[in-house]
Amino acid sequence: MPPRIAPSILSADFAALGAAVDQVAGEADMLHVDVMDGHFVPNLTIGPPVVASLRRHTSLYLDCHLMIDEPARYLEAFRDAGADGCSVHVEVGGTANLIRQMRDLGLDVGLAVNPETSFDVFEPWLDQVDLLLLMTVHAGFGGQAFMDEVMPKVRQARDALDRQGLRPALQVDGGIGEKTAGVAAAAGADLFVAGSAIFGAADPADAARRIRAAAARS
Ligand code: DX5
Ligand code: ZN
C-alpha cells in the first residue's frame, strides 16, 4: 500500500477546527480524532459532538481513536455522529464483543495497541480488523518522542499480516515526523498519524506531504 497520512486534530486549534481541517484536506487520507476519557489515559479531549461538527464540515474519512475505558457505551454515539471507523484499545478487554458491535453498527473496525502490549495479545484479532493501530508513544498526549523500541512489533505484525494474506491498514501513532515516518515505514507501517508535526508546522499541508514522501522513500 502506498503510505497514507492521517493528521491528528489533537494538535490543531480547537477554536478553529474547521480551518485546520481545510488546511490539510488536500494532503490527508483521513482525519484522526483522539478521544480521551481521563480514565484509560490521564487526559480529556473530545467526544461525539465534535465528530458531528467535523462530519458537517468535511467529507474526509473520520478515524476515531478511542482511548477510553468503556468504548461499548459510546460506539453507537460515534457512529451516529458520523465516524467512519473507530479504534478500541485491546487493553480494555472484551475485544470480541467490541468488534462484533462495531461491525453491527457499520463502523470500520480498528484495534489499538499500547507500546508495552505484546504481539501475542492482539495476534488473535488480525483477521478481523480493518485497521491495526500500534502506538509509538504512551497514549494520552501529543508531542511526545517516538519510541523506536516498538519497531520490532511493527515488523512482527507486518510479517504476520503478509504471511496470512491480510490487508488491514497498519497504523502508527505518536511522534511521527519525516524521520520517524521513514523508520516506521521500513518496519512495515503504511498509515501514519501525525499531530504536532503537521499542525505545529508553519505549513501543515507541506508537512503532511513531506511525511508521506519520507515514508514512500523507505
Ligand atoms: C496520543 C494520540 C496521538 C497524538 C499524536 O495519545 O493518540 O494521535 O495526537 O500526536 P503527535 O503526532 O504529536 O505525537
Ligand atoms: Zn491517536
Side-chain angles (χ1 to χ4, degrees), residues 31-42:
L31 283 180
H32 185 82
V33 180
D34 285 305
V35 178
M36 306 187 189
D37 67 351
H39 292 274
F40 182 71
V41 288

Side-chain angles (χ1 to χ4, degrees), residues 8 32-34 65 67 133 135 173 193:
S8 165
H32 185 82
V33 180
D34 285 305
H65 177 190
M67 287 163 274
L133 190 181
M135 294 298 301
D173 181 10
V193 175

